[in-house]
Amino acid sequence: MIGAAQDWLEARVPFDDAARQQSLPLLDRAAQALLAADPTGRTPLTVVDLGAGTGKSAAWFRQHLTPRLPDRSIHWLLVDAHEPSLEIATRHLADAHTIVTQLSELPAALANHLPEHPTPGTLLLTCSAVLDVLTQDDVEAILTTLTTYHGVGLFLLSITADWHLEPADPRDPELARAFAGHQRRDGKLGAEGGQAMLRTARERGVHTTHGNSAWHLSAPRDTEFTRRFLTERVAAAIEDSPALEDEALKWLKTRNRQATEHLSVTVDHCDVLVDARRDR
């Protein structure tokens, strides 16, 4: 798992936060599951943010989860393979502990931080915009962790293959396919990440729920971010399909002009809630 560029993570924060407003019903359900498992709130809860990066995801979860569990003692663990990012994260979440590991090694990495005989509902795994960069082995490791510790998982902002531009352009579908191909390199799940988590959990007999949390970009309000988003998508599409370069750059020139005028872009994301507190 390779972390995204820090400046990109910073640029997308307001758009992620706006999209995650659509995720609050799933967060409510996760909190209700944790409350049902321990109504007294006496058992500490461990929240593990996966692919934590510089801590933006964990900070959002802490801001919105803590008021929903007011009497619960919560311990925070940040997991990422990129140690420099975690060093930045601890500046914002000073009380959090960090683990540097690949997610495929998650069950072993958490063994020293979680009880040998866990109580259901005392573990919450979270992440934001991470499932698309995982492999199937990573997904299996996450679900093994949840089932072993009878935990709850809430995974937000997993990009899908759906992005909609208005006005439409006949070149949109081909560029979208090339970008999706780039995201699947090196065995990564890409746009299928959310569905892979849902499918694999269901195959294990674990209860799942899902929702949507789209970005909504609109000109001229979001011109700067829209241009960067489209430029990075085109670069990835060209890397996957070099024959598209001429048409892709023409498309980008047109879209960049529209981004100052009337272009709107909707980028769909899948949210996944996994409840492994008990066999179902």
Side-chain angles (χ1 to χ4, degrees):
M1 183 177 62
I2 299 174
Q6 185 179 342
D7 64 333
W8 169 246
L9 296 176
E10 293 290 340
R12 62 180 287 169
V13 165
F15 303 95
D16 283 346
D17 285 350
R20 276 187 291 232
Q21 292 301 305
Q22 304 163 74
S23 308
L24 291 177
L26 277 191
L27 181 67
D28 287 335
R29 294 187 66 158
Q32 289 163 9
L34 297 169
L35 285 168
D38 182 12
T40 66
R42 294 174 182 171
T43 307
L45 171 68
T46 299
V47 180
V48 183
D49 195 58
L50 308 174
T54 58
K56 300 298 184 183
S57 172
W60 185 90
F61 276 107
R62 175 147 70 177
Q63 177 187 354
H64 293 279
L65 182 65
T66 302
R68 289 167 167 79
L69 301 172
D71 300 319
R72 200 78 177 266
S73 174
I74 303 177
H75 304 305
W76 295 86
L77 281 173
L78 309 181
V79 174
D80 203 286
H82 190 241
E83 188 170 6
S85 292
L86 290 178
E87 291 174 358
I88 296 171
T90 56
R91 298 173 196 168
H92 306 296
L93 296 95
D95 59 336
H97 291 84
T98 62
I99 302 175
V100 180
T101 187
Q102 299 289 339
L103 291 187
S104 58
E105 304 298 325
L106 186 64
L110 289 180
N112 293 330
H113 299 267
L114 298 174
E116 184 177 355
H117 302 291
T119 301
T122 56
L123 172 66
L124 174 65
L125 299 186
T126 63
C127 73
S128 298
V130 167
L131 297 187
D132 61 299
V133 300
L134 302 187
T135 66
Q136 183 63 31
D137 286 345
D138 295 329
V139 168
E140 298 284 357
I142 291 170
L143 286 169
T144 294
T145 302
L146 284 173
T147 55
T148 298
Y149 294 98
H150 311 292
V152 176
L154 182 55
F155 312 119
L156 306 182
L157 294 175
S158 299
I159 200 163
T160 75
D162 298 320
W163 57 312
H164 313 280
L165 297 92
E166 182 62 39
D169 184 293
R171 295 166 291 191
D172 293 349
E174 189 171 19
L175 286 168
R177 283 191 295 271
F179 174 77
H182 184 273
Q183 298 303 94
R184 292 192 298 270
R185 289 187 169 192
D186 302 319
K188 294 176 182 175
L189 293 166
E192 296 301 315
Q195 291 302 315
M197 180 64 75
L198 288 167
R199 181 180 63 254
T200 307
R202 290 166 181 165
E203 287 171 352
R204 292 183 178 220
V206 177
H207 181 71
T208 65
T209 312
H210 63 90
N212 298 292
S213 51
W215 282 350
H216 297 285
L217 312 179
S218 180
R221 180 191 63 200
D222 303 318
T223 294
E224 182 178 355
F225 183 78
T226 299
R227 282 180 163 177
R228 175 160 184 182
F229 167 74
L230 295 176
T231 298
E232 296 204 357
R233 285 221 160 186
V234 164
I238 292 172
E239 187 175 344
D240 183 78
S241 303
L244 290 178
E245 182 171 5
D246 287 347
E247 282 303 314
L249 293 178
K250 292 176 184 176
W251 177 92
L252 181 60
K253 183 177 180 179
T254 298
R255 292 307 199 184
N256 277 340
R257 184 185 70 251
Q258 293 172 343
T260 67
E261 302 167 350
H262 56 275
L263 180 66
S264 65
V265 183
T266 301
V267 184
D268 287 342
H269 299 100
C270 176
D271 295 339
V272 177
L273 175 63
V274 178
D275 186 353
R277 284 174 296 152
R278 57 185 181 275
D279 294 333
R280 297 208 177 212

